[in-house]
Amino acid sequence: MTVLEAATAAPAPAGPVTAGPVTAAPAAAAPAAAGVPPDRQLLMYRAMVVGRAFNRQATAFSRQGRLAVYPSSRGQEACQVGSALAVRPTDWLFPTYRESVALLTRGIDPVQVLTLFRGDQHCGYDPVTEHTAPQCTPLATQCLHAAGLADAARMAGDPIVALAYIGDGATSEGDFHEALNYAAVRRAPVVFLVQNNQYAISVPLAKQTAARTLADKAAGYGMPGVRIDGNDVLQVYRAVHDAAERARAGHGPTLIEAVTYRIDAHTNADDDTRYRPAGEADVWAAQDPVDRLERDLLAAGVLDRAAADGIAAAADAFAGELSARFSAPPTGDPMQMFRHVYHHLPPHLREQSERLAAELAADGQGD
């Protein structure tokens, strides 16, 4: 029995998910590391340590005013690394604004990942080359794009799978419903991965859905719903891998709810002390996914202290190199914002365009 089959056969737990231990993982009854080779586990560990360093550095950039905004995924690295490694390089990712670590794990250049948050362009990488859609800010619209691409691939006989990332708040959006319904009816090869980090910005889960669990919503669309411990990278890897292979075999989409916690605020512009009880984040930090995997690998003899220190040093070096590369100013054309949206600019935008062109010309930057 696969993780997917075991999870869908088990009843979902009732009641709110608390800081722990996380009660949401029916697949946890099986050895989490089963079927994942040690070198693969080490790869996950390295990617999570580097992802943590990236979150730390990007948050620093936002505080220095070098990024317009940054939504940290500290505490959610297991969801992002485990899922990105569970699919093939030719499969497509449909990320939200919080999936920067998943994009890094896919191999996208970190400066290109941050381009959106600096405001240089809507996307810093080539989506077709990377098989990764631009990071999506509107809630749940990427779910429709994932379902459409996956269905088109199915009809063309192309064996690719679309992995759509969603936050818990986005499951209350109409686009989420339409995408899951469409994908289920069309048996489109999509994996919908919900990272339930407990808050839709400032709204706790219990105040934005009456569903017993988010995985329960799958039943309404006629697809399997799986609830896993999102702070266990091996559970995430197995659940997404099994769901992707099930989709690739023609059995349609799966909804996975990964229960986790956003340690940092929603973004650097958010004050989480206004809506989160004091000490709550500290309780969840005790289940930190990076520390947890490190402890497991040390106990299993897959990792030793010297190797862990070496990986930490490499992550620090990665962050230092990123800081140096990010000090270069953006080279984009400011007039780009007026192109490719309207064939004929409305009068107010035409006026703004002309004023900006005049200012650039006065500064010697015009055409």
Side-chain angles (χ1 to χ4, degrees):
M1 177 179 289
T2 66
V3 170
L4 178 61
E5 291 168 338
T8 52
V17 175
T18 62
V22 174
T23 59
V36 182
D39 59 345
R40 194 73 169 166
Q41 296 178 50
L42 273 177
L43 175 62
M44 294 177 186
Y45 175 70
R46 290 192 192 95
M48 290 170 67
V49 172
V50 170
R52 177 63 56 88
F54 178 86
N55 272 321
R56 188 168 57 243
Q57 187 62 59
T59 299
F61 287 159
S62 69
R63 290 173 177 164
Q64 295 163 1
R66 298 164 75 183
L67 291 179
V69 68
Y70 182 67
S72 171
S73 60
R74 185 163 71 99
Q76 298 180 221
E77 291 90 346
C79 292
Q80 309 220 350
V81 169
S83 59
L85 291 176
V87 296
R88 300 176 183 176
T90 50
D91 291 334
W92 270 73
L93 305 187
F94 286 83
T96 76
Y97 46 77
R98 203 177 298 284
E99 265 67 70
S100 294
V101 172
L103 304 192
L104 280 184
T105 305
R106 169 139 283 207
I108 298 176
D109 184 278
V111 172
Q112 294 179 348
V113 172
L114 291 175
T115 297
L116 168 71
F117 304 110
R118 189 157 62 175
D120 299 344
Q121 297 180 34
H122 293 302
C123 182
Y125 51 87
D126 182 348
V128 175
T129 302
E130 304 293 351
H131 291 83
T132 303
Q135 288 182 271
C136 186
T137 300
L139 296 183
T141 55
Q142 79 281 8
C143 298
L144 289 167
H145 303 158
L149 180 140
D151 195 34
R154 179 191 62 79
M155 290 189 288
D158 190 343
I160 68 167
V161 169
L163 171 57
Y165 292 91
I166 316 151
D168 45 284
T171 65
S172 299
E173 296 287 330
D175 285 352
F176 173 80
H177 160 73
E178 293 177 22
L180 268 68
N181 191 60
Y182 177 89
V185 169
R186 301 284 299 176
R187 299 179 76 82
V190 190
V191 179
F192 297 99
L193 175 62
V194 179
Q195 290 175 72
N196 174 6
N197 66 15
Q198 313 299 319
Y199 288 92
I201 305 183
S202 60
V203 180
L205 186 67
K207 291 188 176 181
Q208 65 98 9
T209 182
R212 186 180 58 160
T213 74
L214 298 178
D216 280 354
K217 295 188 177 187
Y221 304 103
M223 69 174 70
V226 183
R227 202 165 190 241
I228 60 171
D229 182 348
N231 281 12
D232 183 337
V233 67
L234 299 178
Q235 278 196 48
V236 175
Y237 177 84
R238 293 305 312 177
V240 174
H241 177 273
D242 287 354
E245 293 310 303
R246 176 182 178 277
R248 208 181 314 275
H251 301 301
T254 297
L255 173 64
I256 300 173
E257 177 189 3
V259 180
T260 182
Y261 191 80
R262 161 170 56 80
I263 297 294
D264 290 334
H266 174 64
T267 69
N268 56 296
D270 172 42
D271 179 5
D272 60 320
T273 63
R274 295 170 63 93
Y275 58 84
R276 293 207 286 206
E280 182 182 89
D282 294 336
V283 174
W284 278 88
Q287 300 183 52
D288 183 274
V290 181
D291 294 343
R292 180 172 169 178
L293 180 60
E294 181 180 289
R295 286 195 301 270
D296 290 346
L297 295 181
L298 289 170
V302 175
L303 180 72
D304 59 34
R305 192 66 262 162
D309 291 344
I311 292 170
D316 289 342
F318 161 85
E321 180 184 353
L322 174 60
S323 180
R325 290 182 61 204
F326 211 67
S327 62
T331 57
D333 177 4
M335 296 300 296
Q336 181 73 15
M337 73 178 88
F338 295 105
R339 302 188 184 116
H340 312 305
V341 177
Y342 294 99
H343 183 63
H344 298 291
L345 282 177
H348 68 289
L349 292 181
R350 186 168 60 249
E351 179 185 350
Q352 292 180 24
S353 171
E354 291 169 352
R355 286 170 52 193
L356 179 59
E359 291 179 11
L360 292 173
D363 290 342
Q365 301 180 54
D367 293 332

